[in-house]
């Protein structure tokens, strides 16, 4: 007959080696718990008129515009700082920009949003020094460094025709407005350069390393519109970096925003819309933020 025990009980058995009937081993079987865990409370829902995801330059510019129009917002950033790929780290006292960074002063939106004097911009030479065949060779802006450009006509970084085509490309982009450039027919940058007539050596030794670094696209598949836009900005403005690193640009934008509008270390895992088409944002913490604007 099986042994049946009460929900919580003790029982004993006689040890086989015991010399006394009083030598016992005791075991306790705990009562089976019937307590259930309390249900997890639903995530806290907060609301904000506008939610901007990502505090890179685009997100910071959007937040700046909202702030200037007195529209409340929350700017959410997953990392511990603003800027996205445009950041500067301080390592052993050295300022290290992340990636290939250059700031061209002729960017139209930058002129509207930034205080150049506060950035303490430092100018670069208007041209490039290219290492090829064991030597450095100069490709100079002919309008700013005319004598240098004459000396560079015979170097192996492209032919004389290539240098003439650079001048003609400059005239072409300067003759168009930014709006015309951005609405023009487009091909890839590499296809545009070939259509213009640049040689393979000029593309490989100058355009690919230089614009490939600017676009983060060594294959130059970026749209020709962006190439023309950047080429025009290079022709009109200076190539610079802030004295304290490229990170000073996003830092300046962020400093102008309300302190409670920027949330760092706040990772978004999903963006959803309910039946009212009012978007909501779910954070990695489980918290839900809901936009008050549909």
């Amino acid at each position: 007959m099986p042994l049946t025990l009460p929900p919580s009980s003790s029982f004993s058995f006689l040890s086989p080696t015991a010399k006394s009937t009083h030598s016992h081993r005791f075991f306790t079987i705990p009562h089976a718990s019937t307590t259930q865990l309390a249900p997890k409370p639903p995530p806290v829902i907060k609301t904000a008129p506008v939610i901007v995801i990502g505090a890179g330059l685009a997100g910071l510019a959007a937040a700046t515009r909202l702030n200037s129009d007195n529209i409340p917002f929350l700017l959410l950033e997953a990392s511990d700082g603003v800027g996205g790929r445009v950041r500067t780290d301080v390592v052993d006292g050295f300022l290290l920009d992340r990636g290939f960074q250059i700031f061209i002063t002729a960017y139209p939106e930058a002129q509207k949003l930034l205080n150049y004097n506060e950035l303490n911009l430092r100018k670069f030479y208007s041209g490039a020094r290219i290492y090829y065949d064991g030597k450095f060779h100069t490709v100079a802006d002919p309008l700013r460094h005319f004598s240098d450009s004459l000396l560079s006509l015979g170097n192996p970084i492209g032919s004389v025709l290539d240098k003439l085509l650079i001048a003609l490309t400059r005239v072409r982009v300067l003759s168009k407005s930014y709006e015309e450039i951005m609405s023009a027919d487009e091909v890839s940058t590499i296809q545009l350069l070939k259509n213009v007539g640049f040689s393979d050596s000029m593309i490989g030794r100058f355009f690919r390393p230089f614009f490939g670094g600017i676009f983060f696209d060594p294959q130059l598949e970026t749209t020709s519109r962006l190439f023309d836009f950047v080429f025009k900005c290079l022709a009109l403005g200076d190539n610079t970096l802030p004295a304290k690193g490229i990170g000073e640009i996003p830092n300046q934008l962020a400093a102008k925003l309300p302190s409670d509008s920027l949330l760092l270390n706040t990772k978004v895992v999903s963006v959803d819309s309910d039946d009212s088409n009012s978007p909501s944002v779910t954070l990695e913490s489980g918290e839900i933020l809901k936009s008050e604007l549909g």
Side-chain angles (χ1 to χ4, degrees):
M1 178 177 180
L3 177 64
T4 302
L5 299 175
S8 182
S9 62
S10 297
F11 72 95
S12 66
F13 64 86
L14 181 65
S15 171
T17 58
K19 296 181 180 180
S20 167
T21 58
H22 298 290
S23 178
H24 295 77
R25 295 177 182 174
F26 292 89
F27 297 83
T28 299
I29 300 178
H31 187 285
S33 175
T34 59
T35 304
Q36 296 182 351
L37 295 176
K40 186 178 179 180
V44 177
I45 297 180
K46 294 182 179 180
T47 60
V50 178
I51 299 173
V52 181
I53 301 174
L57 293 184
L60 288 167
T64 299
R65 174 63 181 272
L66 292 167
N67 189 47
S68 66
D69 291 341
N70 295 316
I71 299 175
F73 64 92
L74 284 177
L75 177 56
L76 312 180
E77 170 56 41
S79 71
D80 60 353
V82 299
R85 295 186 299 186
V86 183
R87 292 186 63 175
T88 301
D89 298 310
V90 181
V91 180
D92 296 333
F94 292 94
L95 299 173
L96 305 179
D97 287 343
R98 299 186 182 185
F100 175 86
Q101 301 290 359
I102 190 172
F103 177 63
I104 304 172
T105 57
Y107 287 142
E109 286 301 311
Q111 293 175 345
K112 298 176 185 177
L113 296 175
L114 297 171
N115 184 320
Y116 286 6
N117 290 331
E118 291 181 359
L119 291 175
N120 192 12
L121 298 173
R122 304 299 175 89
K123 297 180 183 179
F124 289 105
Y125 180 87
S126 296
R129 294 273 286 170
I130 300 171
Y131 189 77
Y132 174 73
D133 196 24
K135 298 179 181 179
F136 279 102
H137 304 277
T138 299
V139 176
D141 183 330
L143 295 186
R144 291 169 176 158
H145 307 289
F146 181 70
S147 60
D148 288 348
S149 67
L150 288 179
L151 294 174
S152 70
L153 287 176
N155 70 29
I157 310 304
S159 64
V160 174
L161 176 60
D162 285 317
K163 278 108 181 183
L164 175 61
L165 290 175
I166 288 179
L168 293 176
T169 299
R170 181 183 184 129
V171 172
R172 177 178 62 82
V173 297
L174 289 177
S175 67
K176 297 180 180 180
S177 67
Y178 289 116
E179 291 75 17
E180 289 173 329
I181 287 175
M182 288 305 178
S183 61
D185 294 337
E186 59 183 331
V187 294
S188 65
T189 293
I190 186 66
Q191 189 60 53
L192 172 67
L193 296 174
K194 291 180 178 180
N195 291 346
V196 170
F198 287 107
S199 67
D200 290 340
S201 65
M202 190 65 180
I203 293 174
R205 297 169 192 172
F206 175 70
F207 286 108
R208 196 180 297 279
F210 185 67
F211 281 90
I214 292 175
F215 297 153
F216 294 98
D217 173 24
Q219 301 307 314
L220 299 181
E221 295 297 332
T222 303
T223 171
S224 56
R225 294 176 180 175
L226 188 56
F227 172 84
D228 284 351
F229 172 81
V230 171
F231 205 97
K232 178 172 181 173
C233 290
L234 286 168
L236 292 176
D238 293 312
N239 309 320
T240 69
L241 276 178
K244 294 184 179 180
I246 196 70
E248 287 301 290
I249 291 175
N251 289 343
Q252 185 184 104
L253 292 173
K256 298 176 182 179
L257 303 177
S259 58
D260 59 351
S261 66
L262 173 60
L263 302 180
L264 300 177
N265 299 305
T266 305
K267 185 176 182 179
V268 173
V269 295
S270 67
V271 178
D272 305 287
S273 295
D274 56 23
D275 293 338
S276 65
N277 292 321
S278 181
S280 62
V281 173
T282 301
L283 306 181
E284 189 175 49
S285 64
E287 186 177 10
I288 294 177
L289 307 178
K290 198 173 185 64
S291 173
E292 296 172 350
L293 301 179

